[in-house]
Amino acid sequence: MSIETAVLVRRNAWTLPDGDETLAAYAAAVRAMRERDADDPTSWVYQAAMHGTSAEPPEPLWNGCQHGTWFFLPWHRMYVWFFERIVRAAVRETGGPADWALPYWDYGAGGVQATLPLAFRDSPGGDNPLFAAERDPRVNSGRGAIPLLAGSAAPALERPLFVGRTQFGGAVTGVGQFWRSPGAVEQTPHNIVHGLVGGDDGLMSNPLTAAADPIFWLHHANVDRIWFDWAGDPEHADPTDSRWTDQTFSFFDEDGQQVQLTGAEIGDVAGQLGYTYEPAPTSGAPTSRPEAVTMSTPNPPDPEQAEMVGASEQPTELAGAPASVTVPIDRATVESLAGGGDAPEALSERHVYLNIEDIEGERNPGTAYGVYVNLPEGASAAQARRHHVGNLSFFGIEHVREPRGDAHAHGLRYTIDISDLVRELVAQGRWNQDALHVTFRPIEPVDPEASEEEQHAVPESLSEHSPVQVGRVSVFYG
Ligand code: C2O
Protein backbone atom coordinates (compact mmCIF):
# COMPACT_ATOMS: atom_id res chain seq x y z
CA MET A 1 0.00 0.00 0.00
CA SER A 2 1.17 3.53 -0.53
CA ILE A 3 2.42 5.37 2.51
CA GLU A 4 2.14 9.15 2.62
CA THR A 5 5.58 10.69 2.40
CA ALA A 6 5.02 13.58 4.80
CA VAL A 7 4.22 12.79 8.43
CA LEU A 8 0.73 14.08 9.20
CA VAL A 9 -0.12 15.49 12.59
CA ARG A 10 -3.15 14.49 14.63
CA ARG A 11 -4.06 17.52 16.70
CA ASN A 12 -6.09 18.31 19.82
CA ALA A 13 -9.67 19.12 18.74
CA TRP A 14 -10.00 21.68 21.54
CA THR A 15 -6.92 23.75 20.69
CA LEU A 16 -7.05 24.04 16.92
CA PRO A 17 -6.10 27.55 15.78
CA ASP A 18 -8.81 30.01 14.77
CA GLY A 19 -9.94 29.48 11.21
CA ASP A 20 -8.66 25.90 11.17
CA GLU A 21 -10.63 23.72 8.76
CA THR A 22 -10.04 20.27 10.28
CA LEU A 23 -13.45 19.82 11.89
CA ALA A 24 -15.46 21.48 9.12
CA ALA A 25 -13.72 19.19 6.63
CA TYR A 26 -14.50 16.19 8.82
CA ALA A 27 -18.18 17.20 8.91
CA ALA A 28 -18.31 17.52 5.12
CA ALA A 29 -16.62 14.12 4.70
CA VAL A 30 -19.02 12.45 7.15
CA ARG A 31 -21.92 13.88 5.14
CA ALA A 32 -20.39 12.59 1.89
CA MET A 33 -19.70 9.13 3.35
CA ARG A 34 -23.30 8.92 4.60
CA GLU A 35 -24.49 9.42 1.02
CA ARG A 36 -22.53 6.45 -0.29
CA ASP A 37 -24.23 3.10 -0.86
CA ALA A 38 -24.38 0.94 2.22
CA ASP A 39 -22.46 -1.84 0.46
CA ASP A 40 -19.59 0.53 -0.42
CA PRO A 41 -16.85 -0.29 2.13
CA THR A 42 -15.92 3.40 2.30
CA SER A 43 -19.45 4.44 3.29
CA TRP A 44 -20.24 5.64 6.80
CA VAL A 45 -22.57 2.74 7.52
CA TYR A 46 -20.12 0.13 6.31
CA GLN A 47 -17.20 1.57 8.26
CA ALA A 48 -19.27 1.61 11.46
CA ALA A 49 -20.44 -1.96 10.84
CA MET A 50 -16.82 -3.13 10.63
CA HIS A 51 -16.63 -2.31 14.33
CA GLY A 52 -19.94 -3.96 15.13
CA THR A 53 -23.52 -4.17 13.96
CA SER A 54 -26.65 -6.15 14.53
CA ALA A 55 -27.52 -5.95 10.81
CA GLU A 56 -27.90 -9.25 8.98
CA PRO A 57 -26.50 -10.82 6.92
CA PRO A 58 -23.00 -9.56 7.66
CA GLU A 59 -20.92 -8.19 4.80
CA PRO A 60 -17.16 -8.86 4.54
CA LEU A 61 -15.14 -7.65 7.56
CA TRP A 62 -18.13 -6.59 9.64
CA ASN A 63 -18.06 -7.15 13.41
CA GLY A 64 -14.30 -7.12 13.62
CA CYS A 65 -13.65 -5.11 16.81
CA GLN A 66 -11.32 -6.64 19.39
CA HIS A 67 -12.17 -6.03 23.04
CA GLY A 68 -11.01 -7.51 26.34
CA THR A 69 -7.81 -8.65 24.66
CA TRP A 70 -4.20 -7.69 23.88
CA PHE A 71 -5.42 -7.08 20.30
CA PHE A 72 -7.57 -4.17 21.46
CA LEU A 73 -4.88 -1.54 20.80
CA PRO A 74 -3.46 -2.83 17.50
CA TRP A 75 -6.86 -3.57 15.92
CA HIS A 76 -8.20 -0.13 16.76
CA ARG A 77 -5.00 1.59 15.60
CA MET A 78 -5.38 -0.09 12.19
CA TYR A 79 -9.11 0.53 12.01
CA VAL A 80 -8.76 4.23 12.79
CA TRP A 81 -5.83 4.61 10.39
CA PHE A 82 -7.73 3.19 7.41
CA PHE A 83 -10.79 5.23 8.35
CA GLU A 84 -8.62 8.36 8.46
CA ARG A 85 -7.35 7.57 4.94
CA ILE A 86 -10.92 7.18 3.70
CA VAL A 87 -11.92 10.49 5.29
CA ARG A 88 -8.82 12.24 3.91
CA ALA A 89 -9.68 11.08 0.39
CA ALA A 90 -13.21 12.46 0.84
CA VAL A 91 -11.80 15.72 2.22
CA ARG A 92 -9.53 16.08 -0.81
CA GLU A 93 -12.42 15.41 -3.17
CA THR A 94 -14.31 18.33 -1.71
CA GLY A 95 -11.27 20.63 -1.89
CA GLY A 96 -10.40 20.41 1.81
CA PRO A 97 -6.88 20.35 3.28
CA ALA A 98 -4.78 17.67 1.55
CA ASP A 99 -2.90 16.97 4.79
CA TRP A 100 -6.07 16.35 6.77
CA ALA A 101 -5.52 14.14 9.82
CA LEU A 102 -7.97 12.94 12.44
CA PRO A 103 -8.02 15.19 15.52
CA TYR A 104 -8.25 13.72 19.04
CA TRP A 105 -10.40 14.53 22.06
CA ASP A 106 -8.18 14.83 25.14
CA TYR A 107 -10.93 14.57 27.82
CA GLY A 108 -8.19 13.67 30.33
CA ALA A 109 -6.92 17.25 30.21
CA GLY A 110 -9.85 18.27 32.43
CA GLY A 111 -11.77 21.56 32.53
CA VAL A 112 -13.43 22.63 29.30
CA GLN A 113 -11.43 20.05 27.35
CA ALA A 114 -13.32 17.34 29.23
CA THR A 115 -16.53 18.56 27.61
CA LEU A 116 -17.63 17.45 24.17
CA PRO A 117 -15.84 19.54 21.50
CA LEU A 118 -18.18 22.28 20.23
CA ALA A 119 -18.26 20.99 16.65
CA PHE A 120 -20.06 17.83 17.85
CA ARG A 121 -22.92 19.62 19.59
CA ASP A 122 -26.29 20.49 18.13
CA SER A 123 -26.28 23.33 15.60
CA PRO A 124 -29.01 25.98 15.22
CA GLY A 125 -30.04 24.55 11.84
CA GLY A 126 -30.15 21.04 13.31
CA ASP A 127 -28.18 19.61 10.39
CA ASN A 128 -24.72 19.16 11.88
CA PRO A 129 -23.33 15.81 10.60
CA LEU A 130 -21.10 15.56 13.68
CA PHE A 131 -24.03 15.77 16.10
CA ALA A 132 -25.74 12.62 17.36
CA ALA A 133 -28.92 12.86 19.40
CA GLU A 134 -28.22 9.46 20.97
CA ARG A 135 -25.75 10.68 23.60
CA ASP A 136 -26.05 11.51 27.27
CA PRO A 137 -27.84 14.90 27.17
CA ARG A 138 -25.50 16.37 29.79
CA VAL A 139 -22.45 15.55 27.67
CA ASN A 140 -24.13 16.56 24.45
CA SER A 141 -24.94 20.04 25.74
CA GLY A 142 -21.56 20.60 27.36
CA ARG A 143 -23.14 20.89 30.84
CA GLY A 144 -21.51 17.65 31.85
CA ALA A 145 -17.81 16.87 31.49
CA ILE A 146 -15.91 13.59 31.64
CA PRO A 147 -14.67 13.43 35.25
CA LEU A 148 -10.92 13.13 35.71
CA LEU A 149 -11.13 9.78 37.41
CA ALA A 150 -12.75 8.48 34.21
CA GLY A 151 -10.81 10.49 31.63
CA SER A 152 -7.29 10.53 32.99
CA ALA A 153 -4.87 8.09 31.42
CA ALA A 154 -2.36 8.51 34.26
CA PRO A 155 -3.10 5.18 36.00
CA ALA A 156 -2.84 3.29 32.70
CA LEU A 157 0.38 5.10 31.75
CA GLU A 158 1.93 3.86 35.00
CA ARG A 159 1.51 0.22 34.12
CA PRO A 160 5.02 -1.11 33.44
CA LEU A 161 4.13 -3.92 31.01
CA PHE A 162 1.96 -4.20 27.91
CA VAL A 163 0.76 -7.77 28.36
CA GLY A 164 -1.33 -8.81 31.32
CA ARG A 165 -4.75 -8.42 32.82
CA THR A 166 -3.80 -5.48 35.02
CA GLN A 167 -1.14 -4.24 32.62
CA PHE A 168 -1.38 -1.55 29.94
CA GLY A 169 -2.55 -3.47 26.88
CA GLY A 170 -4.48 -6.55 28.04
CA ALA A 171 -3.89 -10.26 28.42
CA VAL A 172 -3.11 -12.87 25.79
CA THR A 173 -6.26 -14.14 24.06
CA GLY A 174 -7.22 -15.40 20.64
CA VAL A 175 -8.81 -13.22 17.98
CA GLY A 176 -12.45 -12.33 18.63
CA GLN A 177 -14.79 -9.49 19.46
CA PHE A 178 -15.40 -9.79 23.19
CA TRP A 179 -12.95 -11.41 25.57
CA ARG A 180 -12.65 -10.89 29.29
CA SER A 181 -9.09 -9.67 29.83
CA PRO A 182 -8.93 -5.95 29.09
CA GLY A 183 -5.80 -3.97 29.83
CA ALA A 184 -5.68 -0.81 31.94
CA VAL A 185 -6.10 1.66 29.07
CA GLU A 186 -9.05 -0.27 27.66
CA GLN A 187 -10.83 0.04 31.01
CA THR A 188 -9.95 3.65 31.81
CA PRO A 189 -10.37 5.85 29.92
CA HIS A 190 -11.59 3.80 26.95
CA ASN A 191 -14.62 1.84 28.18
CA ILE A 192 -15.74 4.37 30.70
CA VAL A 193 -15.73 7.28 28.23
CA HIS A 194 -17.85 5.20 25.86
CA GLY A 195 -20.54 4.87 28.53
CA LEU A 196 -20.40 8.45 29.76
CA VAL A 197 -20.78 9.83 26.23
CA GLY A 198 -23.44 7.34 25.16
CA GLY A 199 -25.38 7.43 28.41
CA ASP A 200 -28.21 4.98 28.90
CA ASP A 201 -28.46 3.13 25.58
CA GLY A 202 -26.85 5.76 23.34
CA LEU A 203 -24.74 4.95 20.29
CA MET A 204 -21.38 5.11 22.09
CA SER A 205 -22.56 2.81 24.90
CA ASN A 206 -22.81 -0.27 22.71
CA PRO A 207 -20.01 -1.71 20.54
CA LEU A 208 -22.59 -2.55 17.86
CA THR A 209 -23.44 1.13 17.33
CA ALA A 210 -20.48 3.08 18.77
CA ALA A 211 -18.59 3.76 15.54
CA ALA A 212 -21.67 5.37 13.98
CA ASP A 213 -21.17 8.36 16.30
CA PRO A 214 -18.61 10.73 14.72
CA ILE A 215 -17.04 11.37 18.17
CA PHE A 216 -16.04 7.67 18.34
CA TRP A 217 -13.11 8.36 16.02
CA LEU A 218 -11.75 11.26 18.08
CA HIS A 219 -12.08 9.13 21.20
CA HIS A 220 -10.08 6.39 19.52
CA ALA A 221 -7.47 8.82 18.21
CA ASN A 222 -7.01 9.78 21.86
CA VAL A 223 -6.73 6.17 23.05
CA ASP A 224 -4.19 5.60 20.27
CA ARG A 225 -2.31 8.70 21.40
CA ILE A 226 -2.17 7.32 24.94
CA TRP A 227 -0.59 4.14 23.55
CA PHE A 228 1.84 6.31 21.54
CA ASP A 229 2.79 8.12 24.79
CA TRP A 230 3.10 4.91 26.79
CA ALA A 231 5.29 3.26 24.13
CA GLY A 232 7.44 6.40 23.89
CA ASP A 233 8.74 5.74 27.41
CA PRO A 234 12.08 3.92 26.93
CA GLU A 235 11.18 1.56 29.78
CA HIS A 236 8.05 0.35 28.02
CA ALA A 237 7.87 -2.15 25.18
CA ASP A 238 5.14 -3.39 22.88
CA PRO A 239 4.72 -7.18 22.68
CA THR A 240 7.38 -9.13 20.79
CA ASP A 241 5.47 -12.42 20.95
CA SER A 242 4.83 -13.60 17.39
CA ARG A 243 1.20 -14.40 18.24
CA TRP A 244 0.81 -10.61 18.53
CA THR A 245 3.36 -9.26 16.03
CA ASP A 246 2.32 -11.64 13.22
CA GLN A 247 -1.41 -11.51 13.75
CA THR A 248 -3.03 -10.14 10.59
CA PHE A 249 -6.16 -8.02 10.53
CA SER A 250 -8.02 -6.93 7.40
CA PHE A 251 -9.61 -3.59 6.50
CA PHE A 252 -10.56 -1.57 3.44
CA ASP A 253 -8.49 1.30 2.12
CA GLU A 254 -9.75 4.52 0.48
CA ASP A 255 -10.14 2.71 -2.85
CA GLY A 256 -12.38 0.08 -1.28
CA GLN A 257 -9.63 -2.54 -1.62
CA GLN A 258 -9.12 -5.14 1.08
CA VAL A 259 -5.78 -4.64 2.81
CA GLN A 260 -3.96 -6.23 5.74
CA LEU A 261 -1.70 -5.16 8.55
CA THR A 262 0.08 -7.00 11.36
CA GLY A 263 1.18 -5.90 14.82
CA ALA A 264 4.78 -5.69 13.56
CA GLU A 265 3.76 -3.10 10.97
CA ILE A 266 2.21 -0.48 13.23
CA GLY A 267 4.48 0.10 16.25
CA ASP A 268 6.38 3.03 14.71
CA VAL A 269 3.49 5.27 13.71
CA ALA A 270 5.56 8.01 12.07
CA GLY A 271 7.81 5.64 10.16
CA GLN A 272 5.29 2.94 9.29
CA LEU A 273 1.95 4.73 9.18
CA GLY A 274 2.98 8.32 8.45
CA TYR A 275 1.36 10.15 11.33
CA THR A 276 2.28 11.55 14.69
CA TYR A 277 0.60 13.43 17.54
CA GLU A 278 0.86 17.07 18.40
CA PRO A 279 2.96 17.25 21.57
CA ALA A 280 0.51 17.45 24.44
CA PRO A 281 0.83 20.50 26.69
CA THR A 282 -1.50 18.59 29.01
CA SER A 283 0.61 15.52 29.60
CA GLY A 284 1.15 16.70 33.17
CA ALA A 285 -2.60 16.47 33.81
CA PRO A 286 -3.50 15.64 37.38
CA THR A 287 -3.70 11.98 38.21
CA SER A 288 -6.31 10.30 40.30
CA ARG A 289 -3.73 8.22 42.15
CA PRO A 290 -2.47 8.87 45.65
CA GLU A 291 0.84 10.77 45.63
CA ALA A 292 2.50 8.27 47.93
CA VAL A 293 2.89 5.61 45.27
CA THR A 294 6.02 3.66 46.02
CA MET A 295 5.56 0.54 43.98
CA SER A 296 7.43 0.01 40.78
CA THR A 297 8.05 -3.69 40.68
CA PRO A 298 9.31 -4.26 37.15
CA ASN A 299 7.76 -7.70 36.85
CA PRO A 300 4.66 -8.03 38.98
CA PRO A 301 3.37 -11.57 39.27
CA ASP A 302 0.69 -12.63 36.83
CA PRO A 303 -2.73 -12.32 38.46
CA GLU A 304 -3.60 -15.67 36.86
CA GLN A 305 -1.02 -17.28 39.16
CA ALA A 306 -2.20 -15.50 42.27
CA GLU A 307 -4.01 -17.29 45.09
CA MET A 308 -7.58 -16.44 46.03
CA VAL A 309 -7.82 -15.60 49.72
CA GLY A 310 -11.44 -14.52 49.90
CA ALA A 311 -14.61 -13.86 47.96
CA SER A 312 -17.89 -12.08 48.57
CA GLU A 313 -20.82 -14.34 49.34
CA GLN A 314 -23.67 -12.39 47.74
CA PRO A 315 -24.01 -10.66 44.39
CA THR A 316 -24.14 -6.87 44.48
CA GLU A 317 -26.66 -4.89 42.50
CA LEU A 318 -25.67 -1.56 41.01
CA ALA A 319 -28.55 0.67 39.95
CA GLY A 320 -27.31 4.22 40.30
CA ALA A 321 -26.60 4.53 44.04
CA PRO A 322 -23.43 3.73 45.96
CA ALA A 323 -23.14 0.10 47.06
CA SER A 324 -20.65 -1.89 49.10
CA VAL A 325 -19.61 -5.43 49.65
CA THR A 326 -17.46 -7.10 52.27
CA VAL A 327 -14.95 -9.71 51.23
CA PRO A 328 -13.97 -11.96 54.16
CA ILE A 329 -10.33 -12.98 53.98
CA ASP A 330 -9.58 -16.60 54.84
CA ARG A 331 -6.75 -16.64 57.36
CA ALA A 332 -5.99 -20.32 56.81
CA THR A 333 -5.36 -19.75 53.12
CA VAL A 334 -3.27 -16.71 53.83
CA GLU A 335 -1.19 -18.61 56.38
CA SER A 336 -0.62 -21.48 53.98
CA LEU A 337 0.90 -19.14 51.40
CA ALA A 338 4.66 -19.24 51.22
CA GLY A 339 6.62 -16.25 52.43
CA GLY A 340 5.59 -15.39 55.94
CA GLY A 341 1.83 -15.88 56.13
CA ASP A 342 -0.22 -12.86 56.90
CA ALA A 343 2.21 -10.80 58.93
CA PRO A 344 1.57 -7.28 57.66
CA GLU A 345 5.25 -6.92 56.74
CA ALA A 346 5.00 -9.99 54.52
CA LEU A 347 1.80 -8.71 52.99
CA SER A 348 3.48 -5.53 51.90
CA GLU A 349 5.83 -7.63 49.76
CA ARG A 350 2.92 -9.17 47.92
CA HIS A 351 0.79 -8.10 45.04
CA VAL A 352 -2.84 -7.89 45.95
CA TYR A 353 -5.51 -8.07 43.26
CA LEU A 354 -9.19 -7.36 43.35
CA ASN A 355 -11.21 -9.41 40.93
CA ILE A 356 -14.67 -8.13 40.07
CA GLU A 357 -16.46 -10.65 37.93
CA ASP A 358 -19.65 -12.18 36.61
CA ILE A 359 -20.81 -8.67 35.79
CA GLU A 360 -24.08 -8.97 33.93
CA GLY A 361 -26.84 -6.69 32.77
CA GLU A 362 -29.26 -6.18 29.92
CA ARG A 363 -27.43 -3.17 28.64
CA ASN A 364 -24.78 -0.59 29.41
CA PRO A 365 -26.41 2.04 31.63
CA GLY A 366 -23.69 4.55 30.76
CA THR A 367 -23.08 5.23 34.44
CA ALA A 368 -19.77 3.79 35.60
CA TYR A 369 -18.55 3.18 39.16
CA GLY A 370 -15.43 4.20 40.98
CA VAL A 371 -14.07 1.31 43.03
CA TYR A 372 -12.86 2.16 46.53
CA VAL A 373 -11.16 -0.18 49.00
CA ASN A 374 -11.66 0.19 52.77
CA LEU A 375 -13.20 3.63 52.34
CA PRO A 376 -13.80 5.07 55.82
CA GLU A 377 -17.37 5.92 56.83
CA GLY A 378 -18.20 9.50 55.87
CA ALA A 379 -14.92 9.88 53.97
CA SER A 380 -14.05 13.33 52.67
CA ALA A 381 -13.43 13.77 48.96
CA ALA A 382 -9.68 13.83 49.67
CA GLN A 383 -9.86 10.54 51.56
CA ALA A 384 -11.99 9.02 48.84
CA ARG A 385 -9.36 9.96 46.30
CA ARG A 386 -6.73 8.02 48.25
CA HIS A 387 -8.91 4.94 48.50
CA HIS A 388 -9.85 4.92 44.83
CA VAL A 389 -8.31 1.90 43.08
CA GLY A 390 -10.02 1.78 39.70
CA ASN A 391 -13.29 1.92 37.84
CA LEU A 392 -16.03 -0.37 36.70
CA SER A 393 -17.80 0.27 33.42
CA PHE A 394 -19.99 -1.82 31.22
CA PHE A 395 -19.08 -1.31 27.57
CA GLY A 396 -19.78 -4.63 25.84
CA ILE A 397 -21.88 -6.04 28.69
CA GLU A 398 -24.56 -7.22 26.23
CA HIS A 399 -22.06 -9.21 24.23
CA VAL A 400 -19.65 -10.99 26.51
CA ARG A 401 -19.90 -14.64 25.62
CA GLU A 402 -19.25 -17.76 27.57
CA PRO A 403 -15.64 -17.66 28.69
CA ARG A 404 -13.30 -19.72 26.57
CA GLY A 405 -11.51 -22.34 28.61
CA ASP A 406 -12.11 -20.65 31.96
CA ALA A 407 -13.51 -22.69 34.82
CA HIS A 408 -16.40 -20.46 35.90
CA ALA A 409 -17.91 -17.08 35.33
CA HIS A 410 -19.69 -15.32 32.56
CA GLY A 411 -20.11 -11.63 32.11
CA LEU A 412 -17.51 -8.94 32.24
CA ARG A 413 -14.54 -9.18 34.53
CA TYR A 414 -12.17 -6.54 35.82
CA THR A 415 -8.97 -7.16 37.72
CA ILE A 416 -7.43 -4.31 39.66
CA ASP A 417 -3.98 -4.30 41.22
CA ILE A 418 -4.56 -2.75 44.66
CA SER A 419 -1.05 -3.37 46.02
CA ASP A 420 -0.18 0.32 46.41
CA LEU A 421 -3.15 1.07 48.63
CA VAL A 422 -2.70 -2.13 50.66
CA ARG A 423 0.94 -1.22 51.29
CA GLU A 424 -0.09 2.24 52.39
CA LEU A 425 -2.76 0.92 54.76
CA VAL A 426 -0.33 -1.63 56.22
CA ALA A 427 2.24 1.10 56.79
CA GLN A 428 -0.36 3.22 58.59
CA GLY A 429 -1.57 0.30 60.69
CA ARG A 430 -4.99 0.56 59.07
CA TRP A 431 -5.06 -2.80 57.34
CA ASN A 432 -7.74 -5.26 58.41
CA GLN A 433 -6.45 -8.81 58.01
CA ASP A 434 -9.89 -10.38 58.18
CA ALA A 435 -11.91 -8.53 55.60
CA LEU A 436 -11.76 -6.12 52.76
CA HIS A 437 -14.51 -3.62 52.18
CA VAL A 438 -15.23 -2.60 48.59
CA THR A 439 -17.41 0.42 47.78
CA PHE A 440 -18.82 1.28 44.36
CA ARG A 441 -19.75 4.90 43.75
CA PRO A 442 -21.50 6.07 40.59
CA ILE A 443 -19.50 8.10 38.10
CA GLU A 444 -21.57 10.48 36.03
CA PRO A 445 -20.72 13.50 33.90
CA VAL A 446 -19.61 16.33 36.21
CA ASP A 447 -19.67 20.10 36.30
CA PRO A 448 -16.65 21.08 34.18
CA GLU A 449 -15.62 23.53 36.92
CA ALA A 450 -15.47 20.94 39.71
CA SER A 451 -12.07 20.44 41.29
CA GLU A 452 -10.45 17.03 41.07
CA GLU A 453 -11.33 16.29 44.68
CA GLU A 454 -14.92 17.42 44.29
CA GLN A 455 -15.17 14.94 41.46
CA HIS A 456 -14.62 12.13 43.98
CA ALA A 457 -17.72 13.12 45.90
CA VAL A 458 -20.84 11.04 45.37
CA PRO A 459 -22.80 12.72 42.53
CA GLU A 460 -25.49 14.97 43.99
CA SER A 461 -28.36 13.94 41.80
CA LEU A 462 -28.30 10.20 41.55
CA SER A 463 -30.14 8.89 38.55
CA GLU A 464 -31.46 5.36 38.73
CA HIS A 465 -30.52 3.10 35.89
CA SER A 466 -31.29 -0.40 34.68
CA PRO A 467 -29.56 -2.73 37.12
CA VAL A 468 -26.18 -4.33 36.66
CA GLN A 469 -25.23 -7.32 38.80
CA VAL A 470 -21.73 -7.89 40.12
CA GLY A 471 -21.66 -11.63 40.73
CA ARG A 472 -18.54 -11.84 42.82
CA VAL A 473 -15.75 -9.74 44.26
CA SER A 474 -12.66 -11.67 45.27
CA VAL A 475 -9.19 -10.93 46.60
CA PHE A 476 -6.03 -12.59 45.32
CA TYR A 477 -2.53 -12.54 46.79
CA GLY A 478 0.28 -12.85 44.26
CU1 C2O B 1 -13.95 -1.16 19.72
CU2 C2O B 1 -14.01 2.13 21.57
O1 C2O B 1 -14.30 0.44 20.83
Side-chain angles (χ1 to χ4, degrees), residues 327-378:
V327 184
I329 295 176
D330 181 50
R331 293 289 284 274
T333 310
V334 172
E335 275 155 26
S336 73
L337 291 175
D342 67 345
E345 307 73 51
L347 181 58
S348 61
E349 305 283 293
R350 292 190 180 284
H351 273 261
V352 182
Y353 301 100
L354 198 62
N355 221 7
I356 303 169
E357 61 197 333
D358 301 350
I359 305 168
E360 292 181 326
E362 295 252 305
R363 64 168 193 246
N364 182 0
T367 304
Y369 289 81
V371 181
Y372 299 81
V373 167
N374 291 358
L375 186 63
E377 195 84 37

Side-chain angles (χ1 to χ4, degrees), residues 81-391:
W81 186 66
F82 284 111
F83 170 84
E84 181 183 48
R85 291 170 59 125
I86 291 168
V87 174
R88 187 182 308 123
V91 166
R92 285 175 178 173
E93 268 170 38
T94 56
D99 62 349
W100 188 89
L102 190 64
Y104 60 86
W105 177 22
D106 185 10
Y107 32 71
V112 72
Q113 291 200 49
T115 66
L116 187 72
L118 299 173
F120 293 80
R121 301 187 197 171
D122 206 0
S123 61
D127 60 351
N128 175 11
L130 303 184
F131 174 72
E134 307 90 338
R135 294 180 188 140
D136 186 293
R138 294 164 292 184
V139 170
N140 229 356
S141 64
R143 273 185 296 126
I146 305 298
L148 279 167
L149 81 166
S152 171
L157 288 169
E158 284 171 12
R159 303 316 294 165
L161 303 179
F162 186 102
V163 183
R165 239 203 283 157
T166 67
Q167 296 300 332
F168 185 73
V172 179
T173 69
V175 171
Q177 268 190 302
F178 304 105
W179 298 80
R180 297 167 61 248
S181 301
V185 72
E186 186 178 346
Q187 298 173 39
T188 302
H190 173 264
N191 287 353
I192 190 163
V193 168
H194 266 283
L196 291 174
V197 173
D200 195 356
D201 222 21
L203 293 177
M204 280 282 278
S205 296
N206 187 327
L208 301 187
T209 52
D213 185 333
I215 198 63
F216 171 94
W217 304 93
L218 279 78
H219 174 32
H220 272 277
N222 194 50
V223 171
D224 188 68
R225 184 183 66 93
I226 296 164
W227 181 17
F228 172 85
D229 279 357
W230 182 88
D233 180 327
E235 301 203 344
H236 295 162
D238 288 339
T240 51
D241 185 321
S242 63
R243 289 171 298 171
W244 189 90
T245 56
D246 296 350
Q247 179 62 50
T248 301
F249 292 104
S250 299
F251 301 87
F252 290 99
D253 69 10
E254 61 277 27
D255 299 320
Q257 298 301 311
Q258 236 189 79
V259 282
Q260 267 100 40
L261 280 176
T262 65
E265 294 171 316
I266 60 162
D268 168 13
V269 292
Q272 294 175 304
L273 303 177
Y275 71 85
T276 189
Y277 286 97
E278 176 175 69
T282 57
S283 57
T287 92
S288 61
R289 304 305 288 279
E291 284 85 0
V293 170
T294 47
M295 185 211 69
S296 67
T297 316
N299 288 301
D302 184 346
E304 311 278 356
Q305 315 289 316
E307 187 86 23
M308 187 169 88
V309 298
S312 60
E313 279 139 18
Q314 301 288 338
T316 311
E317 187 173 275
L318 302 176
S324 338
V325 60
T326 297
V327 184
I329 295 176
D330 181 50
R331 293 289 284 274
T333 310
V334 172
E335 275 155 26
S336 73
L337 291 175
D342 67 345
E345 307 73 51
L347 181 58
S348 61
E349 305 283 293
R350 292 190 180 284
H351 273 261
V352 182
Y353 301 100
L354 198 62
N355 221 7
I356 303 169
E357 61 197 333
D358 301 350
I359 305 168
E360 292 181 326
E362 295 252 305
R363 64 168 193 246
N364 182 0
T367 304
Y369 289 81
V371 181
Y372 299 81
V373 167
N374 291 358
L375 186 63
E377 195 84 37
S380 67
Q383 280 176 307
R385 188 181 159 200
R386 299 192 81 78
H387 287 260
H388 174 245
V389 293
N391 301 319

